Structure formats: C-alpha cells, structure tokens
Amino acid sequence: MSESVETVAAFTIELQPAEAVLEGTGRFDFSKVWTGGMTGTSTGLMLSAGDPASGTAGYVALELFRGSVDGLEGSVVLQQFGTMSEEAVLYYEFAPGSGTGQLAGLVGAVEIDTSGGGHDVRVRYRLTR
C-alpha cells in the first residue's frame, strides 16, 4: 500500500506524574486505550517545560502503541511535539522505522480534536513496504 489512507479513532489517557529528569521540567508517564480505526493500548513518556496554568508550555513525548490500525496488527511508536502559546502547535506522527508485524513500514500523522471534551483523532497513514 503506497497511497495514503485515513481512519478515525479515539483514546482515553491516564497521566501519572513522575520524577523530572531536568531541572525546571516536568515528566509524566501515561497509558492510553484506543478505540475505532486504531484499537489497542499504548504506554509512553512525556517531558514538559513552561507554565501550562498560564497557557504557555511545551512538551515532547514518545509512546509505544500495540494493537491494530484498520485491522493490521502490530506495534508502532508515536512521537509528539507540542507547544501552548498564542497559537497551539502539535506534531503527532508515527516514528519511521518503528513498526512491527503488519504495521512494519507505517508512516503518517495523527490529528487530535478535543473540542468535544474527549480525544477524537483522525489518522492519515500509509505503508512504505
């Protein structure tokens, strides 16, 4: 499959504060349960800096997803880079080369919509193998 495919999914997240690794930063471990076009679980690590209470902060995260994407089974790592400021920015992508099983060669991006109070996502991906 070389053409891009789109699917929709949702996840719930559980954040657990953890010991910071750098002075002036925060760290969270997290787990997610995915439903819809992405079905499975993921666990990850988030590092943050700034002042989220005032609306100015940034974070990076890596998470390992295990499950299926549109019925294709395997695992893949997702990477995130986000900023909160006057304009929020979020890059949320599959880490190239990280897929296993039927998800080997998976590349693409995830867009999150929180306007409804949850974490609804649109997933655009393709397989490069």
Side-chain angles (χ1 to χ4, degrees):
M1 171 188 318
S2 61
E3 66 215 37
S4 289
V5 177
E6 187 174 299
T7 193
V8 294
F11 65 81
T12 57
I13 184 168
E14 192 173 305
L15 285 169
Q16 183 70 32
E19 185 175 338
V21 293
L22 297 171
E23 186 178 333
T25 66
R27 174 182 161 192
F28 295 89
D29 295 329
F30 62 89
S31 60
K32 294 179 180 175
V33 175
W34 293 79
T35 58
M38 281 181 68
T39 302
T41 60
S42 61
T43 55
L45 166 70
M46 178 187 300
L47 302 175
S48 64
D51 183 11
S54 73
T56 55
Y59 80 94
V60 295
L62 288 174
E63 70 185 276
L64 174 61
F65 170 82
R66 290 184 176 98
S68 66
V69 178
D70 284 340
L72 301 171
E73 298 281 335
S75 66
V76 67
V77 173
L78 290 133
Q79 57 190 13
Q80 297 179 51
F81 173 87
T83 58
M84 293 169 51
S85 62
E86 290 180 18
E87 286 190 41
V89 175
L90 175 62
Y91 298 101
Y92 194 8
E93 302 175 334
F94 296 103
S98 67
T100 67
Q102 293 175 312
L103 299 180
L106 185 79
V107 295
V110 177
E111 295 176 17
I112 300 176
D113 178 4
T114 58
S115 63
H119 295 91
D120 298 315
V121 298
R122 180 177 313 277
V123 182
R124 291 185 179 95
Y125 69 92
R126 63 188 177 89
L127 293 174
T128 60
R129 57 178 158 90

